[in-house]
Amino acid sequence: MRIKFTPVILTLAVASSVFAAPAPAHLAKRGWVADKLKELVETALNTLECGACVAALVGVKDVAWLNKNWVLDALSDICPKVSKMTPEVCAGAIKLEGPALLDALLKADLLSGDAKFICQQVGGVCPNPGITSGSLTFPKPRPANAVAPASSGKLIDVLHLSDWHVDAGYITGSEAECDQPLCCRKHSNSPAVPKRKASSWGDYKCDVPVKLGQNMMGYVPTVANVSFGILTGDVPPHDIWAQTQSTVVPQTANAYGVMATLGSKIYPTIGNHEAGPTNLFPTSSSGGSVQWLYNSLADDWSRWLPADAITSVKNNYGAYNVSPAPGLRIISLNTNFCYTMNFHLYADVENYDPNGELKWLVAQLQAAEDAGERVWIIGHVGPSMTDCIMNWSNLYYQAVQRYSPHVIAEQFFGHTHYDEFALSYGPGAKSAQNAISTSWIGPSATTYTNLNPGFRVYKVDTKSWNVFDSQTYVADMNLASTWDATGGSPNWHLEYSARQTYGAYVPIAADQPLSASWWHEVTKAFETNPAAFQTYWKLRGKSAGLQPACAAGSPCPAEMICNLRAGRSSDSCTKISLGLSRRSDDGGADLTPVATVIAGANRILKRSEPSSQASPWNKSLCK
């Protein structure tokens, strides 16, 4: 579509093209420039039109050429007016994350398509540009008749933790029903008398207190003989407006110390919240460095990882591979290099493999194939999710197709906070015969938001390294006040066994794993049996019963089933959305994520329910 630029944009564009020369007198007036920029940004938010979004990005870039602080100040001023966030939260998020976005925009070629790409990938505002990343190159062709090995019949327990988000700032008795992105802690506007006091064990509107994490780790050994565990990222809490290197380093160190009390090795991966500021992982194209983070994580993980893996963490942007048992290789990826809210990625949108991570992945997979090893891939943001950039996801999917099912046994991710899965297929139709790999998306330890805390235990075969059962454990957070009143503790319990629960709809032989083919048949049962789908929907939300309905006859079930069959983000049936709607005449639209659209804050600033024009069942919890 042809973009029609306003006279303001053209004027600012001229100014930016000669930014080294003295600026015209009217542009030197900071207030005038700020007002015009605000008009562009608010127009983009109010209309949610592609042209307006592009114009706003170009305007932001043009003013950034003149003075970056003018942009940040203007956006900090806009944010509280069109969102439910306090000036303190808006200013903090914009100050921390805004500069990375501005630096990326200054390097991007906005008038040649980069702006449309950014608007589409971050907010779904512009038309989908399609896949442009081409094909991966593999060292060797796929072996003929490549098949997965037979199972041994010996099973071990493997723990899956995800989205820990334990909040050291949690205060028992504080306001649990606040107007901030994160409750149950001290805020500048906290009332003297809370409307609802935070339990000492946690609340559905908050990240969890330290003692809940400690209690969980004490409970795990009572139900599982854990051989080893995996952690699919996100350790710090959700106070993204205040997260810096000085805050995340002690938070993660303390959390890993609690996990270490389990006594079994845990193999972690990096979540988007591990960075400070949140989400921001520089690339070779963007410039900048968070080497401090990789060094810090290497120190924290050294209790579990061997020396060569620790070296890899430091030198390969947090990625490593390790062998927890003979015949198994775990490859831990930093999937923040596909995360749409990592603004460094937009400095060069045609850098389809930032920092060469996918090339490194292929080398590890080829080494595993040559050695006859099985592989688990772990990461935080799953390639099936719409907030994984489509071009990266497409390349990753090619690697999955090349090395599955004979090398890649399973994939494990987190990020959504829900209990989910996603399927990958070989070239051709999405069928049970063509299903080749399962991505297990782990339930969160945190209750944020409106979920019970949980974890998974897998029953895993020691030869095929396939999952034979997935058992999810939860505690009912609605009973937290009762635990306080009676001196009790969380009622951790087995919520469900995937084999037993879904095997009732799709029978499976005792000697067969929960394969991608079987899971595809389960999704077919969801299509034909509303009771089966509603069982999944309840368990997806960890039985808290607080997520929006996904009723039969609505578009929701078909959309969700489609997503279960979407191992790559471009196959998802969920439209990328910021949860915004066009503003009605009476100004009633919910525009809370404004800071994330332009200013570089995080979509987690939006805690309210999506607007009526959005799909409530697709509310993202952790971004």
Side-chain angles (χ1 to χ4, degrees):
M1 121 183 207
R2 185 182 181 89
I3 305 297
K4 294 182 179 180
F5 297 108
T6 67
V8 172
I9 283 293
L10 296 175
T11 300
L12 293 174
V14 171
S16 67
S17 67
V18 293
F19 67 94
H26 63 286
L27 280 180
K29 296 180 180 179
R30 177 174 180 168
W32 184 91
V33 174
D35 288 343
K36 298 305 178 184
L37 181 61
K38 292 175 187 177
E39 290 178 12
L40 292 173
V41 174
E42 292 193 38
T43 297
L45 292 172
N46 294 343
T47 64
L48 296 183
E49 293 177 349
C50 182
C53 179
V54 171
L57 290 182
V58 173
V60 166
K61 177 177 180 176
D62 289 337
V63 178
W65 277 123
L66 298 171
N67 191 310
K68 293 180 182 178
N69 288 331
W70 291 8
V71 180
L72 299 178
D73 290 346
L75 296 171
S76 294
D77 185 55
I78 293 173
C79 176
K81 297 177 181 178
V82 294
S83 76
K84 296 179 180 179
M85 301 303 106
T86 64
E88 175 187 6
V89 170
C90 283
I94 291 168
K95 177 182 178 181
L96 290 174
E97 299 199 22
L101 179 60
L102 297 185
D103 288 343
L105 294 180
L106 289 173
K107 292 185 177 183
D109 190 353
L110 298 182
L111 298 181
S112 295
D114 287 3
K116 287 185 179 180
F117 180 85
I118 296 169
C119 289
Q120 198 281 329
Q121 287 286 257
V122 175
V125 176
C126 291
N128 190 323
I131 303 298
T132 58
S133 53
S135 300
L136 280 179
T137 300
F138 300 107
K140 297 179 181 179
R142 180 184 175 90
N145 303 316
V147 295
S151 301
S152 67
K154 179 182 178 182
L155 302 180
I156 60 172
D157 292 345
V158 177
L159 173 67
H160 185 178
L161 300 173
S162 195
D163 296 88
W164 187 254
H165 293 300
V166 169
D167 185 7
Y170 186 103
I171 300 176
T172 300
S174 61
E175 180 60 76
E177 192 67 46
C178 70
D179 59 355
Q180 301 281 353
L182 185 62
C183 299
C184 302
R185 44 174 32 218
K186 179 67 175 177
H187 292 289
S188 58
N189 65 345
S190 295
V193 180
K195 290 181 290 184
R196 190 178 80 246
K197 292 183 179 181
S199 159
S200 70
W201 290 104
D203 189 275
Y204 285 124
K205 299 296 184 183
C206 313
D207 279 327
V208 292
V210 172
K211 79 171 190 175
L212 185 79
Q214 295 170 333
N215 184 268
M216 177 194 294
M217 299 313 296
Y219 175 77
V220 170
T222 69
V223 293
N225 182 19
V226 177
S227 293
F228 63 88
I230 57 174
L231 167 67
T232 50
D234 268 11
V235 171
H238 286 92
D239 56 341
I240 65 98
W241 64 94
Q243 290 288 9
T244 65
Q245 177 181 347
S246 64
T247 64
V248 299
V249 168
Q251 288 168 345
T252 53
N254 292 338
Y256 294 131
V258 171
M259 296 177 206
T261 62
L262 179 68
S264 301
K265 289 186 176 181
I266 296 177
Y267 301 105
T269 194
I270 301 179
N272 56 297
H273 282 263
E274 269 75 299
T278 308
N279 304 333
L280 302 182
F281 293 80
T283 70
S284 55
S285 298
S286 70
S289 173
V290 288
Q291 189 60 46
W292 63 265
L293 172 61
Y294 305 129
N295 293 342
S296 174
L297 292 177
D299 290 341
D300 290 333
W301 297 351
S302 62
R303 56 169 56 94
W304 298 311
L305 302 184
D308 59 341
I310 290 300
T311 299
S312 181
V313 170
K314 294 179 179 179
N315 297 338
N316 288 311
Y317 312 98
Y320 67 89
N321 76 94
V322 67
S323 179
L328 174 64
R329 179 182 301 218
I330 293 179
I331 300 176
S332 177
L333 294 178
N334 183 351
T335 56
N336 293 293
F337 292 125
C338 86
Y339 186 36
T340 57
M341 299 305 287
N342 178 8
F343 296 124
H344 288 294
L345 300 177
Y346 301 119
D348 182 4
V349 301
E350 294 183 359
N351 181 10
Y352 301 125
D353 182 14
N355 297 335
E357 186 175 38
L358 292 174
K359 182 179 180 181
W360 176 85
L361 169 65
V362 169
Q364 304 309 312
L365 290 171
Q366 187 59 57
E369 182 179 81
D370 293 343
E373 296 174 332
R374 297 287 276 164
V375 166
W376 284 6
I377 298 176
I378 65 174
H380 181 61
V381 178
S384 65
M385 301 169 194
T386 56
D387 44 6
C388 178
I389 287 178
M390 291 183 292
N391 282 315
W392 191 99
S393 177
N394 180 61
L395 293 176
Y396 174 87
Y397 200 74
Q398 292 176 32
V400 171
Q401 290 182 323
R402 163 65 180 83
Y403 292 99
S404 295
H406 63 296
V407 176
I408 299 174
E410 308 285 0
Q411 304 173 65
F412 303 91
F413 302 99
H415 188 57
T416 71
H417 293 197
Y418 292 120
D419 184 334
E420 300 177 296
F421 65 92
L423 302 176
S424 299
Y425 299 84
K430 292 184 177 182
S431 64
Q433 294 74 23
N434 211 21
I436 57 174
S437 187
T438 303
S439 294
W440 303 82
I441 301 171
S444 64
T446 187
T447 52
Y448 191 94
T449 178
N450 290 332
L451 295 171
N452 286 320
F455 63 90
R456 276 196 196 144
V457 174
Y458 299 110
K459 303 292 183 179
V460 179
D461 185 84
T462 56
K463 181 180 178 182
S464 69
W465 294 104
N466 286 127
V467 172
F468 272 67
D469 198 8
S470 170
Q471 299 175 346
T472 299
Y473 292 83
V474 300
D476 298 317
M477 191 51 62
N478 62 309
L479 301 177
S481 59
T482 301
W483 304 331
D484 279 345
T486 61
S489 59
N491 65 332
W492 298 105
H493 60 277
L494 176 65
E495 181 192 23
Y496 78 104
S497 153
R499 190 176 197 92
Q500 292 178 5
T501 298
Y502 297 121
Y505 302 110
V506 181
I508 181 171
D511 63 347
Q512 294 299 305
L514 305 188
S515 66
S517 296
W518 178 77
W519 277 115
H520 181 87
E521 293 295 340
V522 171
T523 66
K524 289 174 64 176
F526 292 165
E527 288 180 314
T528 58
N529 186 336
F533 179 81
Q534 290 305 321
T535 296
Y536 165 73
W537 193 247
K538 173 187 175 183
L539 298 174
R540 176 180 181 264
K542 292 182 282 181
S543 298
L546 297 175
Q547 63 179 333
C550 191
S554 75
C556 176
E559 182 179 322
M560 293 296 100
I561 293 168
C562 167
N563 290 348
L564 295 176
R565 297 171 179 167
R568 57 185 164 191
S569 59
S570 58
D571 287 349
S572 173
C573 289
T574 294
K575 180 181 178 181
I576 297 172
S577 173
L578 287 169
L580 299 172
S581 65
R582 286 179 173 80
R583 178 172 289 176
S584 61
D585 292 338
D586 63 0
D590 177 11
L591 296 173
T592 57
V594 57
T596 71
V597 182
I598 303 297
N602 189 303
R603 275 183 286 190
I604 202 62
L605 291 180
K606 177 180 173 295
R607 285 188 66 252
S608 60
E609 293 298 325
S611 66
S612 59
Q613 296 186 26
S615 300
W617 52 81
N618 286 327
K619 180 182 179 183
S620 295
L621 300 180
C622 186
K623 296 294 185 180

